[in-house]
């Protein structure tokens, strides 16, 4: 029997695109295209098993070996610093991590800055590098509301098109880091399933070049 390669796919449009790339790499699993509520799909002939997980959970599955490989956003890798191999920048799912605030915000460097974010570690590391005192307010979503209601001075969040900021009268003050989707592997899997993982990595690399 073939050893199964376990792949964690981020649920959503990005994940579907990623699956198509894995299919082109020779790891097809047609049942995944059936519309149902199943979360795990496998093709024993190709030795591959896919599962849909929340995008922010992919790295945990890979770090703990429940998945051998997966695709995760750089934002998640920077925030949680999972002990995995980052094999490839896929060059899509592009956005940036930025500091944003109400359009009329004026910073007072003498005062502790109140920062609302889902990405507490990224925010802490960023302001530590500037030597700035901050007060982190950890939120789980709709971060843009925080400075409008006076809960925070600024936010640290993902900006893609900028529409959410614009529609809430906020603007980017500083860009912290560019973000994109990364192909990641479990460290032990990379050693023991190296042939399959390398085959996929090479195919993905070629597919990106041809875009
Ligand atoms: C992200 C982010 C912003 C929005 C930015 O939220 O937190 O709210 O996308 O995109 P834009 O620049 O194209 O407007 P997401 O949709 O991931 O959901 P969330 O509220 O759970 O963070």
């Amino acid at each position: 029997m073939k050893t199964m390669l376990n792949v964690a796919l981020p649920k959503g449009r990005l994940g579907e695109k990623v699956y198509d790339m894995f299919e082109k790499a020779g790891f097809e699993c047609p049942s995944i295209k059936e519309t149902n509520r199943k979360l795990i799909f496998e093709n024993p002939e190709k030795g591959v098993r896919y599962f849909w997980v929340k995008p922010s959970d992919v790295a945990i599955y890979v770090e703990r070996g429940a998945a051998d490989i997966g695709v995760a956003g750089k934002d998640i890798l920077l925030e949680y610093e999972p002990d995995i191999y980052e094999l490839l920048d896929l060059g899509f799912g592009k956005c940036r991590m930025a500091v944003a605030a109400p359009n009329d915000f004026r910073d007072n460097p003498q005062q502790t800055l109140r920062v609302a974010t889902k990405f507490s570690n990224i925010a802490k590391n960023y302001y530590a590098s500037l030597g700035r005192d901050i007060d982190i307010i950890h939120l789980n979503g709709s971060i843009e509301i925080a400075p409008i209601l006076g809960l925070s001075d600024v936010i640290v969040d993902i900006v893609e098109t900028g529409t959410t900021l614009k529609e809430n009268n906020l603007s980017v003050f500083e860009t912290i880091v560019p973000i994109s989707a990364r192909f990641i592997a479990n460290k032990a899997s990379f050693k023991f399933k190296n042939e399959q993982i390398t085959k996929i990595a090479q195919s993905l690399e070629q597919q990106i070049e041809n875009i």
Side-chain angles (χ1 to χ4, degrees):
M1 209 190 79
K2 263 192 171 165
T3 343
M4 290 295 254
L5 188 70
N6 291 301
V7 187
L9 291 173
K11 232 188 276 179
R13 217 158 26 93
L14 188 84
E16 285 166 23
K17 181 177 173 141
V18 169
Y19 167 74
D20 289 341
M21 295 178 86
F22 279 79
E23 187 178 85
K24 284 203 186 100
F27 290 82
E28 68 264 30
C29 181
S31 60
I32 205 168
K33 299 274 181 176
E34 289 162 13
T35 43
N36 54 34
R37 304 282 291 173
K38 264 178 76 165
L39 296 172
I40 304 179
F41 300 88
E42 58 181 63
N43 183 352
E45 274 155 42
K46 292 286 172 184
V48 68
R49 182 186 294 124
Y50 290 99
F51 36 94
W52 295 112
V53 305
K54 205 171 168 191
S56 50
D57 289 340
V58 168
I60 299 172
Y61 281 84
V62 174
E63 180 178 37
R64 292 182 170 262
D68 299 305
I69 52 176
V71 169
K74 184 66 179 176
D75 52 333
I76 300 299
L77 303 181
L78 289 170
E79 179 64 20
Y80 298 104
E81 298 178 352
D83 190 16
I84 46 94
Y85 289 133
E86 189 183 313
L87 299 179
L88 213 55
D89 181 348
L90 296 174
F92 54 79
K94 276 191 180 169
C95 51
R96 56 185 165 142
M97 188 63 64
V99 179
N103 297 335
D104 58 1
F105 171 71
R106 295 284 167 271
D107 190 16
N108 177 354
Q110 314 310 327
Q111 261 174 18
T112 301
L113 191 68
R114 296 171 307 152
V115 182
T117 187
K118 241 194 320 197
F119 301 93
S120 297
N121 265 328
I122 294 177
K124 275 181 203 158
N125 291 338
Y126 174 67
Y127 284 106
S129 76
L130 300 178
R132 180 75 193 265
D133 278 337
I134 58 163
D135 178 10
I136 288 275
I137 301 157
H138 190 92
L139 298 177
N140 295 301
S142 301
I143 319 293
E144 291 83 359
I145 294 177
I148 298 169
L149 298 182
L151 178 64
S152 74
D153 300 308
V154 300
I155 64 173
V156 165
D157 202 11
I158 284 170
V159 180
E160 194 181 344
T161 59
T163 312
T164 312
L165 292 183
K166 204 168 164 217
E167 293 190 355
N168 289 291
N169 301 315
L170 306 173
S171 42
V172 169
F173 271 68
E174 289 137 30
T175 292
I176 299 179
V177 65
I179 304 290
S180 57
R182 307 296 161 105
F183 178 49
I184 60 173
N186 172 270
K187 287 189 166 177
S189 306
F190 188 69
K191 205 163 157 190
F192 296 112
K193 301 185 183 179
N194 190 271
E195 200 181 317
Q196 294 138 291
I197 296 175
T198 304
K199 188 182 167 196
I200 293 178
Q202 285 172 347
S203 172
L204 294 180
E205 206 167 3
Q206 261 173 12
Q207 292 181 51
I208 300 162
E209 279 170 14
N210 294 336
I211 287 174

